[in-house]
Amino acid sequence: KKYEKYCSNCHILNSNIKKDLSFKNFIEKKKLFLENKRKFEVVVISQNMKKRVEKSFLFKNKKINVIGNTFTPLNSKRIIKYNESDKINLLYVGQITPAYKNFMILKKILSFLSPKKFKILIAGDKKETILAKTKDFNIEVINLGYISDKVDLNNLYFNSDMLLVTSKEEAFGLVGLESLYNSTPVVAFKNTGLEDLIDHKINGFLAKENSPKNYADGIQWISNNKHKLNKKDCIEKSNLFENSKIVKKYKKIYKELI
């Protein structure tokens, strides 16, 4: 939380130097945003980010707007069987090595689930990396590696029963939006950008922070209550982030500033 006062010794940069790159950038931003009298407003992509920016030294006295990310929807929705079992398809999409993705908590989460009932499909990183990180998982793992084709990724969302987002820090969570567009509910932790996308027990489940057991309970709840989750609710939430709607919000801000 150093950003609430200044920046230095940046942990993202693995720096132990006080006047590192983050410190130099902070000084430049201070000149640009605080000492310059030019009128401007701040745009962030989630309510969670807004809460943090409101505490920052640089922007705490500025008007902060929340405008979510957008995406380009694909209408390709094709039934694909990733193997012949009738197990529930859990899905993880994204890199697995960054610490903030919190991927390894999945091992603990999945330990609460029955390997006879669930399997997990994992995409978004190198196959060898996924294999090394999941060899001790207690349920079946379908290693799909990195998927570059957007149509294939869209079909992956469509053919899954739920998306798992394990991040402990996530500014927005575009994978969640893409999943909802394909009427696939999302499980994530509270206090991340996914809170803007997930309506608890309506189009997904928001688990207690850093609680593998509660997260697993969320997976079980969705698998046991599919009749309560309306696909329409998932799609309607994703429609709030259509390109035209997001552009309209930005245009409004620009017009007010001119």
Side-chain angles (χ1 to χ4, degrees):
K1 292 188 176 182
K2 286 185 288 187
Y3 67 89
E4 294 179 10
K5 296 180 180 179
Y6 58 89
C7 289
S8 70
N9 304 93
C10 181
H11 70 283
I12 299 296
L13 300 176
N14 292 318
S15 170
N16 57 4
I17 303 170
K18 182 177 180 180
K19 293 186 178 182
D20 60 6
L21 182 60
S22 70
F23 176 83
K24 294 174 182 177
N25 284 340
F26 177 80
I27 297 301
E28 290 301 314
K29 289 176 182 177
K30 185 179 176 184
K31 292 176 184 176
L32 180 62
F33 298 132
L34 297 184
E35 297 170 13
N36 191 317
K37 301 302 180 182
R38 184 182 303 164
K39 183 181 178 183
F40 73 93
E41 295 179 11
V42 180
V43 177
V44 296
I45 56 177
S46 66
Q47 291 292 339
N48 182 265
M49 183 177 281
K50 180 180 179 180
K51 292 176 185 176
R52 300 187 183 200
V53 174
E54 285 174 332
K55 297 177 182 178
S56 72
F57 179 84
L58 293 173
F59 301 123
K60 59 185 176 184
N61 295 318
K62 298 295 180 181
K63 182 178 179 181
I64 302 170
N65 306 276
V66 178
I67 303 178
N69 278 338
T70 186
F71 73 116
T72 303
L74 296 173
N75 293 320
S76 171
K77 296 180 180 181
R78 182 164 54 93
I79 301 297
I80 298 173
K81 293 204 77 171
Y82 291 96
N83 64 11
E84 295 305 315
S85 75
D86 292 323
K87 296 177 183 177
I88 291 171
N89 286 334
L90 307 177
L91 172 65
Y92 178 95
V93 175
Q95 289 181 300
I96 65 175
T97 50
Y100 74 92
K101 290 293 186 182
N102 204 22
F103 177 80
M104 290 314 296
I105 202 171
L106 261 181
K107 181 180 177 181
K108 183 66 175 178
I109 291 168
L110 299 178
S111 71
F112 294 106
L113 304 178
S114 169
K116 295 181 180 180
K117 184 178 179 181
F118 296 94
K119 66 177 181 285
I120 185 165
L121 292 76
I122 301 178
D125 216 320
K126 295 177 181 178
K127 278 195 171 184
E128 54 267 32
T129 304
I130 295 172
L131 180 64
K133 295 289 186 179
T134 61
K135 59 184 178 181
D136 295 328
F137 280 18
N138 70 306
I139 71 171
E140 179 185 359
V141 175
I142 307 296
N143 183 349
L144 299 170
Y146 181 74
I147 298 177
S148 58
D149 188 285
K150 291 184 178 180
V151 173
D152 289 343
L153 184 58
N154 199 69
N155 287 325
L156 180 57
Y157 288 121
F158 182 67
N159 286 278
S160 298
D161 293 290
M162 67 189 85
L163 174 74
L164 309 184
V165 181
T166 56
S167 304
K168 54 186 176 182
E169 296 177 7
E170 195 70 65
F172 181 74
L174 187 60
V175 292
L177 181 57
E178 293 170 338
S179 181
L180 293 176
Y181 171 74
N182 285 283
S183 67
T184 302
V186 182
V187 186
F189 286 114
K190 292 180 179 179
N191 199 29
T192 68
L194 275 298
E195 286 183 312
D196 287 13
L197 301 177
I198 300 173
D199 298 316
H200 189 57
K201 292 186 176 181
I202 295 176
N203 64 2
F205 191 96
L206 288 167
K208 297 174 184 176
E209 282 186 79
N210 203 36
S211 173
K213 178 62 170 63
N214 189 241
Y215 197 106
D217 290 343
I219 294 172
Q220 294 278 18
W221 188 89
I222 289 178
S223 66
N224 295 333
N225 292 276
K226 289 183 180 179
H227 60 287
K228 293 183 180 180
L229 294 170
N230 191 330
K231 290 184 177 181
K232 184 179 177 182
D233 291 324
C234 294
I235 296 170
E236 284 183 350
K237 176 63 77 169
S238 71
N239 288 341
L240 295 176
F241 300 89
E242 288 179 349
N243 283 324
S244 60
K245 293 177 181 177
I246 297 301
V247 169
K248 188 176 180 180
K249 291 179 180 181
Y250 274 105
K251 282 183 175 179
K252 183 176 182 293
I253 294 175
Y254 289 140
K255 288 178 180 178
E256 290 173 351
L257 289 173
I258 292 174

